[in-house]
Amino acid sequence: MNDLVVKFNRLDVSEELDVDMLVMERLYPIDYRAYEYERKLLWLDVFEDELRQLHGAGFAHRDIRRPSDMPGLRFDNVFLTDRGLRLIDVGISALREAVGDRLFDRFVKTELEELEVFRQYFLSR
């Protein structure tokens, strides 16, 4: 595997709020709009390679582009950090072994289509 997806540190309980909490790695996003086109291309190449590695290992993120009925920007689930592009929000992710080949392949196809839209978005900023 790789470090593309945010790491989960632990499950916890907040007695004060009476809720279960998933404690994740803290990411510090960087504004990528000030970087040159060539550097963005390099980040995208690494991002695409790592995403394909995850697919090859049987994992589909399924949420590169946020659903249109969700608040926020279309690609709020992709952060640029000091270690490159990272994915957050794995709430609807899928494992091949849990959903089967046919459904998983459809998820990957959709994700690769979203990746192409993200590529255009990322490079145009």
Side-chain angles (χ1 to χ4, degrees):
M1 290 291 233
N2 57 44
D3 290 330
L4 182 58
V5 177
V6 65
K7 291 184 177 20
F8 300 97
N9 294 327
R10 68 181 187 281
L11 290 172
D12 209 340
V13 175
S14 170
E15 300 294 337
E16 180 180 316
L17 299 174
D18 192 32
V19 295
D20 298 333
M21 299 184 311
L22 179 59
V23 180
M24 297 182 292
E25 163 190 18
R26 174 78 167 123
L27 297 180
Y28 297 92
I30 299 170
D31 187 351
Y32 54 84
R33 293 175 295 179
Y35 290 93
E36 61 274 0
Y37 184 84
E38 290 76 15
R39 183 170 295 201
K40 290 182 198 180
L41 278 175
L42 178 61
W43 285 325
L44 274 170
D45 285 345
V46 172
F47 181 71
E48 290 175 11
D49 286 347
E50 290 180 335
L51 189 62
R52 291 178 195 279
Q53 286 174 11
L54 292 176
H55 294 159
F59 177 86
H61 184 267
R62 296 195 59 220
D63 214 5
I64 292 176
R65 184 174 66 190
R66 294 169 67 91
S68 59
D69 61 342
M70 296 290 293
L73 300 176
R74 286 193 318 179
F75 296 105
D76 278 350
N77 292 335
V78 184
F79 282 15
L80 176 61
T81 71
D82 62 346
R83 292 178 28 216
L85 291 166
R86 304 283 303 281
L87 287 170
I88 64 167
D89 190 6
V90 295
I92 64 168
S93 296
L95 297 175
R96 180 187 295 272
E97 64 188 34
V99 299
D101 290 343
R102 187 171 174 194
L103 193 54
F104 183 81
D105 290 344
R106 189 170 68 184
F107 292 156
V108 168
K109 179 182 181 295
T110 300
E111 193 161 278
L112 293 176
E113 291 167 358
E114 290 178 355
L115 177 61
E116 187 53 38
V117 176
F118 174 71
R119 170 182 272 283
Q120 301 306 315
Y121 172 85
F122 186 72
L123 292 176
S124 69
R125 302 266 179 280

